Amino acid sequence: MSKAVSIVAVTRAGRSGAEQLVFSRSTRCFHVLSPEFRLVPTSYSRFGVASICAAALTFSGLVATGLFAAQPAAAADPAGYQNVRINEVTSSNSDTVELYNTGSAAVSISGWKTSDDSFSPQSFTPSATTIAAGGFVTFNSPKGLGDSDKLVIWTADGTVVDRVEWATNGAKPAMARCGGDGTGAWMTTTAATTFGAANGSGCPSSIPSASQVRINEVTSEGADTVELYNGGTSAVGIGSWKYVDNDTSHSPVSVASSSPNATSIPAGGYVTFNSALGLGDNDSLFLTDSSGNSVDSVTWATGGAKPSDERCANGTGWFRTSTTATLATANSCSGGGGGGGGGQTGRLLGGGGSLTSGCTPEAPSGTGTAPAGTSAWPGGLDVTITDDVCAFTTSTGPESRDVSGLAFDPANPSVLWAAKNKNWLYKLVKSNGKWVPDPTWSATGKQIRFAGGSGQPDSEGVTVGGNGHLYVTSERDNAGNTVAKDTIMEFDPAASGSTLTPVHQWDMTSQFPQLDTGSKDDANLGFEGVGYVPDSWLTANGWTDPLTHAAYNPANYPLHGAGLFFAGLEWDGTLHVYGLNSDGSFTTFGAVSTGKASVMDVMFDAGTQRIVATCDNTCGETHTFMKVDAAGAIVPDATYTNPAVMPVDNLEGFAIAPKSTCVSGFREAVWSDDGIYGFGSGSSSYGHALYSGTFPC
């Protein structure tokens, strides 16, 4: 009589002695353990097994033996385990290991184990049994780590989570992911280790092309295809590189043997190959170079990698499950969820509706890569489309495009101000979960003019000053868009009428001759965003005044009000600092580098006590949080991507709600799509400008 049992091993008499049929929890499949104690795959036909890859099978005439016979079925893997990555390891002194959680939810690592190249898992004692979202946990390897070694992390259930390998001296002083915690290139650090913190400060200043090859897409159905992408500036030879899945009984396979023509990857190019090992659910792929050093890895849970898991943004972002595989080409990022290691699972909610006449979305342009050290979005995974389709049509822009700068009103967080490039301002309030024009201010927005009531400001950025007035940047006059006009205008939102003229206007055009060339393209690279930064923050954090080379003293500038204005220049990603005086003059405090190619929006967030410089797809959809360092300079502190479910578009506006709005540890974050393109024609996001998510308090 057959009996359904959940087992780990069964024994039978083989031709060369007793053989055990061993169940591997990491692969959910059975293997034969021969008398020589080698774990090898088998067809299992000689065992009479009907199904070879399941935790509970029906056997006839087989006897469960050994210590495993009485064990219950293994516990399920913890939610989000595939988002935990080995982030740093040292093979000297304490043999310390750092794990990093790339997901947006905490992950329990209780009962997890580790092994080295002997593949004998042992328990370890972590600094915490739960890894917070975006957090770190460290432990000392109980196995001891040496040269030419490897490290494997297992769940309590026996599933391989991540693995890293290194050659002689590769982990001295440490091996760390550089260019992004959890996703960066494995490199030997040149400075002191950074266990328990971001790796950036310990990483080399530049990453060679050979270290910029990434697993970019993988599919666990059909031919089990893997795509590699070279994000470097020169070709990389991969003829002797190898890959392996998460079955520790498998030997690594060379990329060239799986794809004979795959001997190198050109700069910005792709190579694909079909895995000779097969790929399934709860699986992984690990890539090593010719010296045995780890290059990249990805892990996915059940349902992941079908039809594929892909990096979003292409070559740099976190893995997520796509709706369409795009092998050998740039990733479309056309999905709503994620299953890959480092990938974020989430949903894009809302949207839809028919485009109105004259509403013409514009496809994004200028897509580039995120800066080194970029981390995953620290907020919630889900994002909601929070405007009506074609909501921002105006007499000077019937196409409904060009919603750019965003700013929450600190005095009234239920109000969101929005600037549209074609000289319009909107006061937005929530109605049925959507941001809509406040009908008590203007149901169709208010048109703005330059001083004297003339022209059509190319209004890009908006911020709320200490006096409650709106400060708007313009980079040119749309009535003559070949001429630069980099200005900051002050508007009183309480002024009556459908058209607003500035209370004050400050013109900085002469400071940027490179933009005033008679070319509309150059003129369009001026002031994109502006943020008001209180004097109290600058003084409390010890900002050094570039004009006096001493601690900033607001009393030296009696006409400037209670704060300074940081205007973001699209041309080169710098922030230009101004004191805007009540007599119409201004004080220039110089420029601040954001470390990015462009800036599209600027804000000061009192919750994190940071200045935030936002860049759209030009810089991989990233937000750089800036602090005052020990020397009194304003410098980048941390950079985050957008949530993975969002489109890679010209998302030019970004605002985080004040901390006073926090609920259960989160507050609202809002983005604006300058081109209302979304994921393209036919998608639920096509024709929409505003997206809403959450950011930690």
Side-chain angles (χ1 to χ4, degrees):
M1 176 179 178
S2 297
K3 182 178 180 181
V5 292
S6 179
I7 65 174
V8 174
V10 295
T11 302
R12 60 150 287 154
R15 285 192 295 270
S16 58
E19 294 178 332
Q20 276 195 316
L21 182 63
V22 179
F23 176 60
S24 167
R25 291 192 179 107
S26 66
T27 62
R28 306 303 198 271
C29 298
F30 280 83
H31 305 267
V32 171
L33 184 63
S34 73
E36 293 81 18
F37 301 102
R38 291 180 295 107
L39 199 59
V40 296
T42 179
S43 67
Y44 311 112
S45 58
R46 57 181 173 161
F47 281 86
V49 179
S51 175
I52 66 172
C53 291
L57 303 178
T58 299
F59 297 88
S60 179
L62 295 178
V63 179
T65 64
L67 295 175
F68 298 106
Q71 287 192 356
D77 292 317
Y81 78 90
Q82 72 277 13
N83 292 326
V84 174
R85 303 280 85 187
I86 302 170
N87 201 47
E88 188 173 6
V89 58
T90 178
S91 61
S92 58
N93 298 323
S94 58
D95 296 328
T96 306
V97 178
E98 175 187 86
L99 304 180
Y100 175 70
N101 179 7
T102 68
S104 66
V107 178
S108 170
I109 61 171
S110 178
W112 284 24
K113 297 183 177 183
T114 183
S115 66
D116 60 2
D117 58 5
S118 70
F119 290 114
S120 177
Q122 290 188 10
S123 299
F124 60 87
T125 303
S127 57
T129 56
T130 298
I131 310 182
F136 304 87
V137 159
T138 60
F139 66 89
N140 297 332
S141 173
K143 300 288 293 183
L145 300 172
D147 287 339
S148 302
D149 211 342
K150 64 171 62 73
L151 180 82
V152 186
I153 302 297
W154 315 67
T155 67
D157 185 29
T159 296
V160 173
V161 178
D162 198 13
R163 134 183 186 172
V164 61
E165 303 181 39
W166 59 90
T168 302
N169 291 324
K172 293 179 180 178
M175 281 270 288
R177 291 187 182 270
C178 295
D181 289 296
T183 62
W186 277 111
M187 300 189 69
T188 300
T189 55
T190 57
T193 54
T194 57
F195 291 104
N199 290 339
S201 60
C203 288
S205 58
S206 61
I207 299 175
S209 290
S211 297
Q212 295 187 47
V213 173
R214 289 287 175 273
I215 301 171
N216 199 43
E217 188 170 10
V218 59
T219 177
S220 63
E221 62 181 3
D224 295 331
T225 305
V226 178
E227 174 190 271
L228 306 181
Y229 171 73
N230 177 8
T233 57
S234 60
V236 176
I238 60 169
S240 56
W241 288 20
K242 295 182 179 181
Y243 67 92
V244 71
D245 61 0
N246 74 359
D247 186 340
T248 53
S249 71
H250 286 168
S251 297
V253 177
S254 71
V255 172
S257 69
S258 298
S259 181
N261 295 324
T263 57
S264 68
I265 311 180
Y270 304 85
V271 156
T272 63
F273 60 88
N274 297 333
S275 171
L277 300 171
L279 299 172
D281 283 343
N282 295 82
D283 212 343
S284 307
L285 189 81
F286 306 101
L287 181 68
T288 59
D289 65 17
S290 56
S291 298
N293 294 311
S294 285
V295 176
D296 200 13
S297 64
V298 59
T299 295
W300 58 92
T302 300
K306 293 179 180 179
S308 77
D309 262 24
E310 61 181 5
R311 288 192 183 275
C312 296
N314 185 66
T316 61
W318 307 102
F319 277 95
R320 77 176 192 191
T321 302
S322 67
T323 56
T324 305
T326 55
L327 299 165
T329 61
N331 293 339
S332 64
C333 298
S334 58
Q344 298 205 29
T345 57
R347 299 170 296 164
L348 184 63
L349 310 172
S354 300
L355 301 189
T356 57
S357 176
C359 178
T360 55
E362 182 178 46
S365 60
T367 298
T369 59
T374 297
S375 300
W377 175 251
L381 301 178
D382 293 342
V383 173
T384 303
I385 298 169
T386 49
D387 66 333
D388 290 318
V389 68
C390 299
F392 298 97
T393 54
T394 58
S395 60
T396 56
E399 74 286 343
S400 192
R401 297 199 305 259
D402 296 329
V403 179
S404 186
L406 298 174
F408 278 95
D409 193 326
N412 186 1
S414 62
V415 171
L416 179 68
W417 294 99
K420 184 179 176 183
N421 299 174
K422 304 296 193 293
N423 65 298
W424 291 83
L425 280 175
Y426 288 87
K427 181 182 181 182
L428 304 177
V429 293
K430 275 287 183 70
S431 176
N432 296 320
K434 294 181 179 179
W435 287 107
V436 300
D438 181 356
T440 66
W441 194 74
S442 173
T444 56
K446 291 191 177 185
Q447 199 166 14
I448 61 174
R449 300 291 188 186
F450 288 116
S454 63
Q456 298 179 10
D458 188 10
S459 40
E460 295 280 0
V462 60
T463 190
V464 181
N467 59 359
H469 286 188
L470 304 178
Y471 292 78
V472 179
T473 53
S474 177
E475 54 191 4
R476 55 185 179 174
D477 184 342
N478 281 319
N481 62 10
T482 62
V483 179
K485 194 172 180 64
D486 289 288
T487 58
I488 301 177
M489 299 163 285
E490 177 188 354
F491 297 97
D492 181 358
S496 60
S498 59
T499 301
L500 300 178
T501 56
V503 176
H504 294 101
Q505 177 174 303
W506 299 269
D507 193 331
M508 293 83 170
T509 308
S510 62
Q511 295 184 350
F512 309 104
Q514 72 272 30
L515 306 179
D516 199 10
T517 63
S519 164
K520 69 175 183 179
D521 293 330
D522 289 343
N524 196 39
L525 296 175
F527 286 162
E528 278 282 323
V530 63
Y532 171 76
V533 179
D535 283 341
S536 57
W537 181 81
L538 295 166
T539 56
N541 287 275
W543 180 54
T544 297
D545 184 340
L547 301 181
T548 65
H549 305 291
Y552 172 60
N553 182 3
N556 292 336
Y557 311 98
L559 300 180
H560 82 289
L564 302 182
F565 291 81
F566 286 61
L569 198 69
E570 184 177 3
W571 172 268
D572 60 3
T574 51
L575 303 181
H576 294 260
V577 187
Y578 299 103
L580 303 181
N581 299 323
S582 57
D583 63 357
S585 65
F586 61 89
T587 304
T588 301
F589 290 89
V592 174
S593 173
T594 65
K596 299 202 281 195
S598 289
V599 171
M600 276 66 185
D601 210 352
V602 186
M603 67 169 290
F604 173 74
D605 176 43
T608 58
Q609 290 290 293
R610 294 293 185 268
I611 299 169
V612 185
T614 288
C615 184
D616 62 4
N617 56 317
T618 305
C619 314
E621 309 283 10
T622 51
H623 312 278
T624 297
F625 287 65
M626 307 188 70
K627 66 178 182 180
V628 179
D629 69 6
I634 295 174
V635 298
D637 182 32
T639 299
Y640 301 105
T641 60
N642 283 343
V645 297
M646 294 185 66
V648 180
D649 284 346
N650 295 140
L651 298 168
E652 293 193 354
F654 178 67
I656 305 173
K659 194 175 179 179
S660 61
T661 65
C662 286
V663 176
S664 300
F666 289 91
R667 50 198 167 124
E668 187 173 14
V670 184
W671 296 259
S672 63
D673 180 358
D674 183 74
I676 62 170
Y677 188 75
F679 282 111
S681 179
S683 68
S684 63
S685 51
Y686 195 58
H688 290 275
L690 300 181
Y691 297 82
S692 177
T694 57
F695 189 84
C697 293

